[in-house]
Amino acid sequence: MIEQPATCRIHVEALAPAFQTQAEQWAERLGLPLQMDDGEFALQVGEQGLQLQQLGPDAPGPVRVDFVEGGAAHRRLYGGGSGQMIAKAVGVAQGVRPRVLDATAGLGKDAFVLASLGCEMSLIERQPLIGALLEDGLARGAEDFDVAPIVARMRLFKGNSIELMRNWEGEPPQVIYLDPMFPHREKTALVKKEMRLFRPLVGDDNDAPALLAAALALATHRVVVKRPRKAPCIEGPKPSHGLEGKSSRYDIYPKKALKA
């Protein structure tokens, strides 16, 4: 069952009678009620899949995971390919497509970009609601002709990233990518909406130093940490170098060279 803070009253609802059964299934899986008179968030099931909607007169629109249309599709088609900063940060190069673990998957946007470039991706999401949105988005992506081969390279795990990394089974990832929750200052409406929705549910990643330590112990070749451009590095070992953009940067902790 999801532990709901006093300020986060959440229920599940179907947007049409045809989706009632799915809504009941999600409610049972997540341990959430189907009705709530004073709810602050609704996990809604409808034609466009699963979405999280904040309730109230000033609430922003719903958030869902969509790898087929919208921003994900635009970035897949016109995002700059292997020349993107995130691709360079994780070591994508000619003949090199590392196995990457995104240990702070969120809505899966960065993982989808890397998967679209040919990287085999493992994703970990510890917040059950966000994990549900991501699971739903991957399932819908698998039904699209163009996107299916990409999401086939994305494997989702749910749980505590630190514990899962410490107890990793099988071949370890070459690269681990971290994007811990941080007080973002980006001004785009989409980021504002997502942060406004997720901040009460997720909070800040106060265990980021332990997250970094676990990643450094598991990754065979490098760890990459995404940070707001002017934010301090995560407490712990210092990165050897970084790549800086307009609003964010990538701190790079190398262990071994990636080779074709």
Side-chain angles (χ1 to χ4, degrees):
M1 184 171 183
I2 292 178
E3 296 180 6
Q4 298 184 56
T7 56
C8 293
R9 296 181 297 275
I10 308 162
H11 68 276
V12 183
E13 65 181 20
L15 295 178
F19 304 104
Q20 185 62 33
T21 299
Q22 293 180 51
E24 292 172 357
Q25 292 171 344
W26 279 114
E28 183 176 357
R29 282 183 59 185
L30 296 169
L32 293 173
L34 281 167
Q35 293 182 338
M36 185 179 287
D37 293 335
D38 58 348
E40 290 188 305
F41 293 88
L43 189 65
Q44 301 172 331
V45 188
E47 284 188 6
Q48 294 180 294
L50 200 65
Q51 62 185 35
L52 185 63
Q53 174 67 64
Q54 186 175 0
L55 306 175
D58 298 323
V63 168
R64 70 178 66 86
V65 173
D66 188 352
F67 296 125
V68 179
E69 299 179 350
H74 186 272
R75 191 169 179 185
R76 172 170 59 88
L77 295 171
Y78 310 109
S82 58
Q84 297 175 76
M85 194 179 301
I86 186 174
K88 294 178 181 178
V90 302
V92 170
Q94 186 173 359
V96 179
R97 294 296 186 272
R99 296 185 314 278
V100 182
L101 167 61
D102 183 345
T104 52
L107 296 177
K109 295 178 180 179
D110 289 339
F112 182 75
V113 169
L114 295 173
S116 70
L117 296 175
C119 295
E120 293 292 329
M121 299 297 302
S122 298
L123 294 76
I124 302 176
E125 177 50 49
R126 65 179 174 182
Q127 213 295 330
L129 286 175
I130 301 175
L133 295 177
L134 188 48
E135 177 184 334
D136 178 71
L138 289 168
R140 285 184 286 106
E143 297 174 353
D144 181 84
F145 179 81
D146 293 320
V147 174
I150 300 173
V151 299
R153 291 192 285 270
M154 300 170 68
R155 182 175 54 155
L156 175 62
F157 298 89
K158 297 176 186 176
N160 184 290
S161 296
I162 297 171
E163 294 176 2
L164 288 172
M165 285 192 286
R166 287 174 177 169
N167 299 289
W168 190 263
E169 297 181 359
E171 191 173 19
Q174 294 173 293
V175 178
I176 296 181
Y177 176 78
L178 305 174
D179 183 10
M181 185 71 80
F182 191 86
H184 288 271
R185 296 185 177 87
E186 291 94 331
K187 297 179 180 178
T188 66
L190 181 61
V191 171
K192 277 189 175 181
K193 179 172 70 174
E194 292 171 357
M195 287 303 105
R196 190 169 159 186
L197 274 167
F198 294 157
R199 184 70 63 183
L201 301 173
V202 179
D204 294 333
D205 285 325
N206 295 317
D207 55 359
L211 189 69
L212 175 60
L216 288 168
L218 177 62
T220 59
H221 287 68
R222 74 171 65 175
V223 173
V224 177
V225 180
K226 184 179 180 180
R227 303 291 279 166
R229 186 170 65 88
K230 296 183 179 180
C233 297
I234 292 179
E235 183 181 341
K238 299 303 179 187
S240 70
H241 63 289
L243 299 176
E244 192 171 296
K246 291 182 179 179
S247 61
S248 60
R249 74 170 195 273
Y250 296 90
D251 293 341
I252 300 171
Y253 301 76
K255 296 178 71 175
K256 192 191 328 183
L258 288 159
K259 297 179 181 179

